Amino acid sequence: VAVVGPGRADAAETELAESVGRALAARGAVLVCGGLGGVMEAACRGASGSGGTTVGILPGLDRAQANPHVQVAIPTGLGEARNALVVRAADALIAIAGEWGTLSEIAFAMKTGKPVVGLGTWELLRAGRPVEGIERAGGAEDAVERALAAARSA
Amino acid sequence: VAVVGPGRADAAETELAESVGRALAARGAVLVCGGLGGVMEAACRGASGSGGTTVGILPGLDRAQANPHVQVAIPTGLGEARNALVVRAADALIAIAGEWGTLSEIAFAMKTGKPVVGLGTWELLRAGRPVEGIERAGGAEDAVERALAAARSA
Amino acid sequence: VAVVGPGRADAAETELAESVGRALAARGAVLVCGGLGGVMEAACRGASGSGGTTVGILPGLDRAQANPHVQVAIPTGLGEARNALVVRAADALIAIAGEWGTLSEIAFAMKTGKPVVGLGTWELLRAGRPVEGIERAGGAEDAVERALAAARSA
Amino acid sequence: VAVVGPGRADAAETELAESVGRALAARGAVLVCGGLGGVMEAACRGASGSGGTTVGILPGLDRAQANPHVQVAIPTGLGEARNALVVRAADALIAIAGEWGTLSEIAFAMKTGKPVVGLGTWELLRAGRPVEGIERAGGAEDAVERALAAARSA
């Protein structure tokens, strides 16, 4: 399961991301992310601290760019194009808050038919009407449960 | 300038995309797109028919995948990850209508500081409030004018 | 047809690359290359000066990185991984002299079944025996003729 | 450390690759590879069976493509262009035997200044003279020792 979200996060987003990481580890799911700070780092801290496995797919060429809770760091040198690889490496996406990079990951996942669960993330309209697709979760546990269920049935 | 939009388009979207292509060619701008059908093909037809240059950055490995109005076809074999290359190849983005692939291109452009002009494309909210960033145009001519002005001042 | 070779070239290599560019233009073939200096620049100068079309697939994000004879510059931001795209964009490869980047392009082409014509480029051995695959040409005209013939029959 | 080699291997190559995997695990090094069969599978089996960590960076989109000894599978959907990512993910390369894909990885590593240790792999000539760069090892243990020493001093 990929956890995506911005490289800077406020206290509430950090707490949420860390809880998502813990819940993923408790379920035995591997956490894949972009490997940097903010939401990514908090999720890795939560997962790694609970005995889970964390993978960081980095934009740059330097493994040292990874946050300290990434166990397997993959420096790609692809820049933001690595967002497509984060999505491809996962069976489902949990999007927390989110800036433009997060939006690109949501779009890639939807385009390629992967389930997306949102926690306070982007809302999307076309022609003034909400667009279906992102499943909204009520909290960290709920998000992980929905993502794993969706990944299994996908 | 990149023109992005879905691979299937209705009559109004097709007409709009073709007008954008014609207006780009009239201004001497190179049209970059994903090289397939729908909005991409209509824009290429407009540009190519008015003496403009058209470039198609394709998801697959086969040049024959390009629509017949692409003059320079670049088969990448990167799948949807080629959307990042469409954005990188351009100085500004004109987004027409749009499905998930288009949204990923808007997100990449915004993330990397490239101007995005929209024609009936996605609207984006965070925490219930509209997010600034996409410049809304009133028509094909207006979109091209805004995109070229933004590219120059970027 | 892709022309590949190092970013620095001596006088003889430069002359050879320029002749290859001219011969490609004379046959109406599009020249694809990595867009930088040395062999790439000389080949583009030859092709562009003879009315041919030149495409440069750049490693960086900045179109200004292209040599002045590239007509269509595609900044990829993929670094050396763009070598795979140079090969994918072409139906045949002409390798002139060559450093490690050139070798990666030869290897990609051979791996994916694209014809490679060599002009003073790498020789390859396995277990002490020469490995077949690169067709050796006697000069610029001969290389272009062989590459176009191989591309047609591929 | 990346271990690279062909997707089909004879008995001697398989034995050698498995020994390299075991030796890497014994030294606590993470094994990165292309995730498929042959040399890649044998190396993963050796490392995984000795308590090591194995990462497979796959060409396709399907995690099931990975050999059964890959612990962290990264489906990239980039095709052979993923060879560049295998090299970027590692601090040193051990090349065993080798077909064209292996050659592309050797070339990428040399181009980007990463140490390459060879076991019965390609020999390279330019203008009839051997080209320096690949360090030749006498066996699996020797290769791992040289690769780790080179990675540390790089």
Side-chain angles (χ1 to χ4, degrees), chain C residues 8 37 72:
Chain C
R8 290 176 184 209
V72 178

Side-chain angles (χ1 to χ4, degrees), chain B residues 18-32:
Chain B
E18 199 166 336
S19 302
V20 166
R22 276 194 299 267
L24 282 171
R27 305 299 193 90
V30 172
L31 185 158
V32 178

Side-chain angles (χ1 to χ4, degrees), chain C residues 14-24 42-43 46 140-141 144:
Chain C
T14 300
E15 171 57 33
L16 192 57
E18 199 165 336
S19 301
V20 166
R22 275 194 301 265
L24 282 171
E141 288 285 343
V144 167

Side-chain angles (χ1 to χ4, degrees), chain B:
Chain B
V1 173
V3 176
V4 301
R8 291 177 184 209
D10 65 25
E13 291 160 357
T14 300
E15 171 57 34
L16 192 57
E18 199 166 336
S19 302
V20 166
R22 276 194 299 267
L24 282 171
R27 305 299 193 90
V30 172
L31 185 158
V32 178
C33 71
L36 302 180
V39 159
M40 298 172 262
E41 180 166 359
C44 286
R45 188 168 50 236
S48 192
S50 300
T53 300
T54 60
V55 177
I57 300 182
L58 298 163
L61 288 168
D62 186 359
R63 190 174 293 115
Q65 201 182 25
N67 73 61
H69 310 288
V70 168
Q71 293 162 14
V72 178
I74 311 281
T76 67
L78 303 180
E80 295 301 319
R82 72 82 155 80
N83 292 2
L85 297 196
V86 171
V87 173
R88 286 176 176 172
D91 296 321
L93 207 70
I94 299 177
I96 302 175
E99 296 289 336
W100 296 109
T102 310
L103 184 61
S104 74
E105 292 165 315
I106 292 172
F108 267 121
M110 295 302 301
K111 172 76 181 181
T112 53
K114 298 216 171 152
V116 178
V117 177
L119 282 166
T121 193
W122 293 88
E123 296 150 71
L124 307 169
L125 309 177
R126 255 185 330 217
R129 283 200 298 268
V131 173
E132 304 287 318
I134 303 175
E135 194 174 341
R136 307 286 164 174
E141 287 284 344
D142 183 38
V144 168
E145 203 163 315
R146 287 173 187 270
L148 292 177
R152 266 191 300 269
S153 69

Side-chain angles (χ1 to χ4, degrees), chain D residues 126-146:
Chain D
R126 251 182 334 214
R129 282 201 298 269
V131 173
E132 303 287 317
I134 303 176
E135 195 174 341
R136 308 285 164 175
E141 288 285 344
D142 183 37
V144 168
E145 203 163 314
R146 286 172 187 272

Side-chain angles (χ1 to χ4, degrees), chain A residues 61 63 75-76 85 88-89 91, chain D residues 61 63 75-77 85 88-89 91:
Chain A
L61 289 168
R63 191 174 294 115
T76 67
L85 297 196
R88 287 175 176 174
D91 296 321
Chain D
L61 289 168
R63 190 173 295 115
T76 67
L85 298 196
R88 287 175 176 173
D91 296 322

Side-chain angles (χ1 to χ4, degrees), chain C residues 4-15 17 36-42 96-102, chain D residues 111 126:
Chain C
V4 303
R8 290 176 184 209
D10 64 25
E13 292 160 356
T14 300
E15 171 57 33
L36 302 180
V39 160
M40 300 172 261
E41 181 166 359
I96 302 175
E99 296 289 337
W100 296 109
T102 310
Chain D
K111 172 75 180 180
R126 251 182 334 214

Side-chain angles (χ1 to χ4, degrees), chain A residues 20-46:
Chain A
V20 166
R22 276 194 300 265
L24 282 171
R27 304 299 194 89
V30 172
L31 185 158
V32 178
C33 71
L36 302 180
V39 159
M40 298 172 262
E41 180 166 359
C44 286
R45 189 168 49 236

